[in-house]
Amino acid sequence: MPILTNQVGINIAKHAMQLVEISQKENKIYLENVDEEFFDEALEANLKETKFIHILQNAYNEIVLRNPLKTTNVLLSLPLSFFKTFEIPVDKNLTKNDLNDYTLWEFSKLFPVENKSEFYFQKIFLETPDYLSYKRELVFAINKDLLKRFYKFCVRNNLQLKAADISHIASNSILFYNNKKSNGISVLIEDTKISAMVFNQTNLVFFKNKKFKCYFRSSNIYKRYSFRN
């Protein structure tokens, strides 16, 4: 997600909405608002649309009640739990159209119960050694209905939705803003998922995400946790 001015960044997690607003005044960037509001209940992708938007609306109302927004341009970052993620090898000689067809074919094999026409796809090529005969493609797929819900939420609140991105990828924009030539690992812990990205400068080399289970004591201190595929 690009870093722009005069905009609101809204991060959606399973249990909360987080908002940051920045503006430009006289060639200076100002942080207008930083806030967070927990949802009345967990935001699940399988909720009915009316309830889904209602949960978003209640949290948003509380935030703008404390500090009304000064701009209407919105960038959304969405949790990994809303996406289906997979990596596939791709022939280097495939045309753009053939690549799209191949990606859809792989999706239908990996997720046979899903209708591929109901999803939007974001594709990222991973850095691959030259001696390999193929490229590696990382694919994030999200149901179109989910994006329509966020669009309706923005329209209801007179907000202009400029872009929607994956939370982990969106957060990397900040990391690379002043460190475009650095190598490193980016790790994001989000609700019940942990994801890791390895970068060679700004080129993505590796991505992996896993679910984990958390167990709590009554004092809200972690008792133990475990990872699973």
Side-chain angles (χ1 to χ4, degrees):
M1 184 179 292
I3 298 176
L4 303 174
T5 58
N6 299 319
Q7 70 178 15
V8 178
I10 298 178
N11 180 60
I12 303 297
K14 184 177 181 180
H15 297 286
M17 173 185 291
Q18 299 164 328
L19 181 147
V20 174
E21 181 180 10
I22 59 175
S23 65
Q24 184 177 21
K25 300 174 184 178
E26 299 177 353
N27 296 323
K28 293 184 179 180
I29 304 300
Y30 291 88
L31 183 61
E32 298 283 0
N33 191 3
V34 178
D35 208 342
E36 177 182 48
E37 183 67 28
F38 286 93
F39 295 133
D40 298 330
E41 56 184 287
L43 190 71
E44 303 284 359
N46 59 1
L47 292 175
K48 290 184 178 180
E49 180 181 296
T50 52
K51 188 172 185 178
F52 188 95
I53 297 178
H54 178 73
I55 293 172
L56 290 173
Q57 190 66 54
N58 283 349
Y60 178 78
N61 288 344
E62 292 298 324
I63 290 176
V64 297
L65 183 64
R66 292 191 287 265
N67 192 351
L69 301 183
K70 296 178 175 59
T71 183
T72 60
N73 298 322
V74 172
L75 300 176
L76 280 178
S77 62
L78 306 178
L80 274 170
S81 58
F82 284 2
F83 295 83
K84 297 184 182 299
T85 309
F86 58 98
E87 180 185 327
I88 54 176
V90 175
D91 190 303
K92 293 182 178 180
N93 297 317
L94 285 181
T95 64
K96 183 177 180 179
N97 288 336
D98 289 340
L99 176 60
N100 290 335
D101 291 341
Y102 177 64
T103 302
L104 293 176
W105 181 83
E106 286 283 1
F107 178 83
S108 64
K109 295 300 180 183
L110 293 169
F111 308 99
V113 300
E114 302 289 357
N115 185 346
K116 59 187 178 184
S117 65
E118 297 177 353
F119 284 78
Y120 285 116
F121 296 85
Q122 180 173 346
K123 294 170 284 187
I124 301 173
F125 280 112
L126 302 176
E127 185 173 278
T128 308
D130 293 335
Y131 60 80
L132 294 178
S133 61
Y134 59 88
K135 296 185 291 186
R136 295 181 299 142
E137 182 185 64
L138 178 64
V139 183
F140 297 92
I142 186 170
N143 195 292
K144 294 177 181 179
D145 178 66
L146 277 176
L147 292 181
K148 288 178 181 178
R149 295 180 183 190
F150 287 108
Y151 176 77
K152 289 180 180 179
F153 162 76
C154 289
V155 170
R156 175 180 293 183
N157 293 283
N158 298 315
L159 300 173
Q160 301 291 323
L161 181 58
K162 297 299 184 180
D165 208 342
I166 302 147
S167 55
H168 197 164
I169 293 177
S171 65
N172 288 330
S173 298
I174 299 296
L175 298 178
F176 293 135
Y177 186 64
N178 291 317
N179 299 282
K180 293 182 179 180
K181 295 185 178 181
S182 63
N183 303 328
I185 300 174
S186 170
V187 178
L188 179 69
I189 300 175
E190 183 179 65
D191 298 319
T192 58
K193 274 199 171 185
I194 182 170
S195 55
M197 293 183 176
V198 179
F199 290 91
N200 177 19
Q201 296 184 13
T202 58
N203 298 320
L204 184 58
V205 178
F206 171 86
F207 171 81
K208 190 72 173 180
N209 72 94
K210 284 185 177 289
K211 288 184 177 181
F212 61 90
K213 290 183 177 180
C214 295
Y215 300 86
F216 297 91
R217 296 174 180 169
S218 58
S219 60
N220 292 328
I221 299 175
Y222 284 112
K223 185 175 182 181
R224 67 186 179 92
Y225 59 89
S226 62
F227 293 96
R228 64 178 183 180
N229 293 323

Coordinates of all heavy atoms in Angstrom, one line a residue, residues 45-77:
A45 N -15.6 -13.7 8.1 CA -16.0 -13.6 6.7 C -17.3 -14.3 6.4 O -18.0 -13.9 5.5 CB -14.9 -14.2 5.9
N46 N -17.7 -15.3 7.2 CA -19.0 -16.0 6.9 C -20.2 -15.3 7.6 O -21.3 -15.9 7.5 CB -18.9 -17.4 7.4 CG -18.6 -17.5 8.9 OD1 -18.5 -16.5 9.6 ND2 -18.4 -18.8 9.4
L47 N -20.1 -14.2 8.2 CA -21.3 -13.5 8.7 C -22.1 -13.0 7.6 O -21.7 -12.7 6.5 CB -20.8 -12.3 9.6 CG -20.1 -12.6 10.9 CD1 -19.6 -11.4 11.6 CD2 -21.0 -13.4 11.8
K48 N -23.4 -12.8 7.8 CA -24.3 -12.2 6.9 C -23.9 -10.7 6.6 O -23.3 -10.1 7.5 CB -25.7 -12.2 7.4 CG -26.3 -13.6 7.4 CD -27.8 -13.6 7.8 CE -28.4 -15.0 7.7 NZ -29.9 -15.0 8.1
E49 N -24.1 -10.2 5.4 CA -23.6 -8.9 5.1 C -24.1 -7.8 6.0 O -23.3 -7.0 6.4 CB -24.1 -8.6 3.6 CG -23.6 -7.2 3.2 CD -24.0 -6.9 1.8 OE1 -23.6 -7.6 0.8 OE2 -24.8 -5.9 1.6
T50 N -25.4 -7.8 6.4 CA -25.9 -6.8 7.2 C -25.2 -6.8 8.6 O -24.9 -5.7 9.1 CB -27.4 -7.0 7.4 OG1 -27.7 -8.3 7.9 CG2 -28.2 -6.7 6.1
K51 N -25.0 -7.9 9.1 CA -24.3 -8.0 10.4 C -22.8 -7.6 10.3 O -22.3 -6.9 11.2 CB -24.4 -9.4 11.0 CG -23.9 -9.5 12.4 CD -24.2 -10.9 13.0 CE -23.9 -11.0 14.5 NZ -24.2 -12.3 15.1
F52 N -22.2 -8.0 9.2 CA -20.8 -7.7 9.0 C -20.6 -6.2 8.9 O -19.7 -5.7 9.6 CB -20.4 -8.4 7.6 CG -18.9 -8.3 7.3 CD1 -18.1 -9.4 7.6 CD2 -18.4 -7.2 6.7 CE1 -16.7 -9.3 7.3 CE2 -17.1 -7.1 6.3 CZ -16.2 -8.2 6.6
I53 N -21.4 -5.5 8.1 CA -21.3 -4.1 8.0 C -21.7 -3.4 9.3 O -21.1 -2.4 9.7 CB -22.2 -3.6 6.9 CG1 -21.6 -4.1 5.5 CG2 -22.1 -2.0 6.8 CD1 -22.4 -3.7 4.3
H54 N -22.7 -4.0 10.0 CA -23.1 -3.4 11.3 C -21.9 -3.4 12.3 O -21.7 -2.4 13.1 CB -24.3 -4.2 11.9 CG -24.8 -3.7 13.2 ND1 -25.5 -2.6 13.4 CD2 -24.6 -4.3 14.4 CE1 -25.8 -2.4 14.6 NE2 -25.3 -3.4 15.3
I55 N -21.2 -4.4 12.4 CA -20.0 -4.5 13.3 C -19.0 -3.5 12.9 O -18.4 -2.8 13.8 CB -19.4 -5.9 13.2 CG1 -20.4 -7.0 13.8 CG2 -18.1 -6.0 14.0 CD1 -19.9 -8.4 13.6
L56 N -18.7 -3.3 11.6 CA -17.8 -2.3 11.2 C -18.3 -0.9 11.6 O -17.5 0.0 12.0 CB -17.6 -2.3 9.7 CG -16.8 -3.5 9.1 CD1 -16.9 -3.5 7.6 CD2 -15.4 -3.5 9.5
Q57 N -19.6 -0.7 11.3 CA -20.2 0.7 11.5 C -20.1 1.1 13.0 O -19.8 2.2 13.3 CB -21.6 0.7 11.0 CG -22.2 2.1 11.0 CD -21.6 3.0 10.0 OE1 -21.4 2.6 8.8 NE2 -21.1 4.1 10.4
N58 N -20.4 0.2 13.9 CA -20.4 0.5 15.3 C -19.0 0.9 15.8 O -18.9 1.9 16.5 CB -20.9 -0.7 16.2 CG -22.4 -0.9 16.1 OD1 -23.1 0.0 15.6 ND2 -22.8 -2.0 16.6
A59 N -18.0 0.2 15.3 CA -16.6 0.6 15.7 C -16.2 1.9 15.1 O -15.6 2.8 15.7 CB -15.6 -0.5 15.3
Y60 N -16.6 2.1 13.8 CA -16.2 3.4 13.1 C -16.9 4.6 13.8 O -16.3 5.6 14.0 CB -16.7 3.3 11.7 CG -16.4 4.5 10.9 CD1 -15.1 4.8 10.4 CD2 -17.5 5.4 10.6 CE1 -14.9 6.0 9.7 CE2 -17.2 6.5 9.8 CZ -16.0 6.8 9.4 OH -15.8 8.0 8.7
N61 N -18.2 4.4 14.2 CA -18.9 5.5 14.9 C -18.2 5.9 16.1 O -18.2 7.1 16.4 CB -20.3 5.0 15.2 CG -21.2 4.9 14.0 OD1 -20.9 5.4 12.9 ND2 -22.3 4.2 14.1
E62 N -17.7 5.0 16.9 CA -17.0 5.3 18.2 C -15.8 6.1 17.9 O -15.4 7.1 18.6 CB -16.7 4.0 18.9 CG -17.9 3.3 19.5 CD -18.7 4.2 20.5 OE1 -18.1 4.9 21.3 OE2 -20.0 4.1 20.5
I63 N -15.0 5.7 16.8 CA -13.8 6.4 16.5 C -14.0 7.9 16.1 O -13.4 8.8 16.6 CB -13.0 5.6 15.4 CG1 -12.5 4.3 16.0 CG2 -11.8 6.5 14.9 CD1 -11.8 3.4 15.0
V64 N -14.9 8.1 15.1 CA -15.2 9.4 14.6 C -15.9 10.3 15.6 O -15.9 11.5 15.5 CB -16.0 9.4 13.3 CG1 -15.1 8.7 12.2 CG2 -17.3 8.7 13.4
L65 N -16.6 9.7 16.6 CA -17.2 10.4 17.7 C -16.1 11.1 18.5 O -16.3 12.2 19.0 CB -18.1 9.5 18.5 CG -18.9 10.2 19.7 CD1 -19.9 11.2 19.1 CD2 -19.6 9.2 20.5
R66 N -15.0 10.4 18.7 CA -13.9 10.9 19.5 C -13.1 12.0 18.7 O -12.7 13.0 19.3 CB -13.0 9.8 20.0 CG -13.6 8.9 21.0 CD -12.6 7.9 21.6 NE -12.2 6.9 20.6 CZ -12.7 5.7 20.6 NH1 -13.7 5.3 21.3 NH2 -12.2 4.8 19.7
N67 N -13.0 11.7 17.4 CA -12.2 12.7 16.6 C -12.7 12.6 15.2 O -12.3 11.7 14.4 CB -10.7 12.3 16.7 CG -9.8 13.4 16.1 OD1 -10.3 14.3 15.5 ND2 -8.5 13.2 16.3
P68 N -13.5 13.5 14.7 CA -14.1 13.4 13.3 C -12.9 13.5 12.3 O -11.9 14.2 12.5 CB -15.0 14.6 13.2 CG -15.3 14.9 14.7 CD -14.1 14.6 15.5
L69 N -13.1 12.8 11.2 CA -12.1 12.7 10.1 C -12.1 14.1 9.4 O -13.1 14.7 9.2 CB -12.4 11.6 9.2 CG -12.4 10.2 9.8 CD1 -12.6 9.2 8.7 CD2 -11.1 9.9 10.5
K70 N -10.9 14.4 8.9 CA -10.7 15.6 8.1 C -10.6 15.4 6.6 O -10.5 16.3 5.8 CB -9.5 16.4 8.6 CG -9.7 16.9 10.1 CD -8.4 17.6 10.5 CE -8.6 18.1 11.9 NZ -8.9 17.1 12.9
T71 N -10.5 14.1 6.2 CA -10.4 13.7 4.8 C -11.3 12.5 4.6 O -11.7 11.8 5.5 CB -9.0 13.4 4.4 OG1 -8.9 13.1 3.0 CG2 -8.5 12.2 5.2
T72 N -11.6 12.3 3.3 CA -12.5 11.1 3.0 C -11.8 10.0 2.2 O -12.4 9.0 1.9 CB -13.7 11.6 2.1 OG1 -13.2 12.2 0.9 CG2 -14.5 12.6 2.9
N73 N -10.5 10.2 1.8 CA -9.8 9.2 1.1 C -9.3 8.1 2.0 O -8.6 8.4 3.0 CB -8.6 9.9 0.4 CG -9.0 10.9 -0.6 OD1 -10.0 10.8 -1.3 ND2 -8.2 12.0 -0.7
V74 N -9.7 6.9 1.7 CA -9.4 5.7 2.6 C -8.6 4.7 1.9 O -8.9 4.3 0.7 CB -10.8 5.1 3.1 CG1 -10.5 3.9 3.8 CG2 -11.5 6.2 4.0
L75 N -7.6 4.1 2.6 CA -6.9 2.9 2.2 C -7.2 1.9 3.2 O -7.0 2.1 4.4 CB -5.4 3.2 2.1 CG -5.0 4.3 1.1 CD1 -3.5 4.5 1.2 CD2 -5.4 3.9 -0.3
L76 N -7.6 0.7 2.8 CA -7.9 -0.4 3.7 C -6.8 -1.5 3.7 O -6.2 -1.8 2.6 CB -9.2 -1.1 3.3 CG -10.5 -0.5 3.7 CD1 -11.7 -1.3 3.1 CD2 -10.7 -0.3 5.2
S77 N -6.5 -2.0 4.8 CA -5.6 -3.2 4.9 C -6.5 -4.3 5.6 O -7.1 -4.0 6.6 CB -4.3 -2.9 5.6 OG -4.6 -2.5 7.0

